[in-house]
Amino acid sequence: AAMWKWCEAGSSFLSKLASNGEKYQSSVHMRNLIAVYDDVLVAWSQKEQRLLAVNIKNSPNVDRDDCQVLLLTNPPVFEVDNVLVNKSHHLLLSGPRGVTVVALPKTPAAFIKEKALCRSWSLGEHFFLCNKSVLVSHVAWHPDSEADCHALVLTSDSNLRLYSITEPQAPQFILPVGASHGASSTISSSLGDVAVGFDFGHATAGKSPARQVFVLMGSGDVYLTHVSPRDDNSTVHLRKVLGPLTMQPQSDDNYGVDGYSLVCLRAAVPVLAIATTSGTLYHCLALDEPRNETFSQSFEQDQKEVSLYVFEKVKLELSLAPVGAEDDSYSCPIRLFKDPTTPLRYICSHGSGIHAVALPFIDHLQEFAEDEESRQLPSHLHADPCIVENLVCTRALPSSSPATPVGVAVVPWYPGPILVVLTNAWKLLTISLVQGYQSYLPQLLSGNPLATRQSQRVRGQEGPPGLDRHVRQLLG
């Protein structure tokens, strides 16, 4: 990809970030310290306790290096591992010890000044200060929040806590998940039952509409529940927790016992990608289990039994050495990020670099979902392997030390999206991503009815009701 002025070594943006030190890796979580909103790239500087912002709309090679310092009224008192922005220009700074909300500038005129003051405040500050043994495992904005003001926080005591950033001190909803949510964090950790991540799935209808939430445990087990931004503690009894979900077909190793990260890709049926600490990925369909009994018209109809159908296992190449040269004892936690420019692809960040993984399977599944006359799965639906691209290698040899990137962000661009990677040596890499997988996907022409399907999919429409049951029966 072409180089921007702010990407070059010695730019004010990178010079300010470099004050954090030569190396910056977390012993608790892998970090993601950059995010993109509108045409602005923001990065967190831990040493200076401030955000740095740069306008990325400038054309490549333009001799401009506009870097703005964003000062916070209430900086976090903990080390930040993650930066997450939403559409309403609010940003979450999270780490194992807490979560801070930042109100970002909303107008381009605000970036004229070299420095700007941003209001910031903590979520659940009293709770995290008084409960040192409870750590933040994962944080995400709730996609159904009308005001874009609800954040879901997963903690190491296996609880999901829903916060409104307008009422930040007390969660409006607490839901225990996992088999050992009543045990202490120490006991749960020793059993491998600590909740390590989650992601949102499909929206569900019914008496109490909500969004699927898939929760991954350190043991590799996956649980499913539902959370709505309108939930409070009076509705906790409605939110049944299903799991651990059965994984099919059965495997002797139970598909690993070292879960680390999970994403749910947008598709007609929820497609989960699960990453382990051994460099392995599993791709699964979340499918309804067939039922024989009849249900009354109640909320319980929305809480269907679900199983995970594992249709693919991927072992990433973690160095440039020949296959088989890698030490099996090498631990390589993989953190997964969804690509906002396409539902087919996600990004893997780990100690050996960056991989991109695309699943053409999702597009074929969508075609099948929208073809009302189809009663059989196309043969290629079973045979389509994922496409793995090794984009950045930071560990060339098995004997080399891990060097995990500390920032990953996908920037929509023309003619194709660009991946921005911040290395742990405070260098920025820009990589052009494949815009489409034409050799695997149907050609989209203006007169082709498939083009309409593609546009609907980009707008986030999901498959028809009951499709998951139909696919489950066909795959059975």
Side-chain angles (χ1 to χ4, degrees), residues 121 212 224 329 333 346 399:
W121 61 98
Q212 290 177 326
L224 170 62
S329 64
Y346 64 92
S399 58

Side-chain angles (χ1 to χ4, degrees), residues 364-440:
H364 297 315
L365 186 63
Q366 188 73 23
E367 293 174 37
F368 170 71
E370 295 170 357
D371 187 353
E372 297 181 356
E373 297 180 358
S374 175
R375 289 297 177 266
Q376 290 186 345
L377 288 174
S379 58
H380 60 249
L381 195 60
H382 296 280
D384 252 352
C386 68
I387 304 167
V388 180
E389 300 171 84
N390 193 340
L391 301 178
V392 178
C393 179
T394 60
R395 179 177 171 269
L397 300 174
S399 58
S400 304
S401 299
T404 308
V406 295
V408 175
V410 178
V411 180
W413 205 258
Y414 180 83
I418 290 177
L419 180 69
V420 178
V421 179
L422 179 63
T423 72
N424 68 339
W426 306 111
K427 296 181 180 179
L428 276 173
L429 308 176
T430 55
I431 303 165
S432 296
L433 295 175
V434 175
Q435 188 174 12
Y437 300 89
Q438 286 82 2
S439 60
Y440 294 85

Side-chain angles (χ1 to χ4, degrees), residues 1-4 6-7 13-14 17 31-36 40-43 54 56 337 339-340 347 349 354 391-392 405-413 416-423 427-433:
M3 180 67 72
W4 282 264
W6 48 268
C7 289
F13 182 68
L14 290 179
L17 281 177
R31 302 182 188 273
N32 187 44
L33 302 180
I34 62 175
V36 174
V40 178
L41 175 71
V42 292
V54 63
I56 61 177
F337 303 87
D339 184 340
I347 307 298
S349 177
I354 301 287
L391 301 178
V392 178
V406 295
V408 175
V410 178
V411 180
W413 205 258
I418 290 177
L419 180 69
V420 178
V421 179
L422 179 63
T423 72
K427 296 181 180 179
L428 276 173
L429 308 176
T430 55
I431 303 165
S432 296
L433 295 175

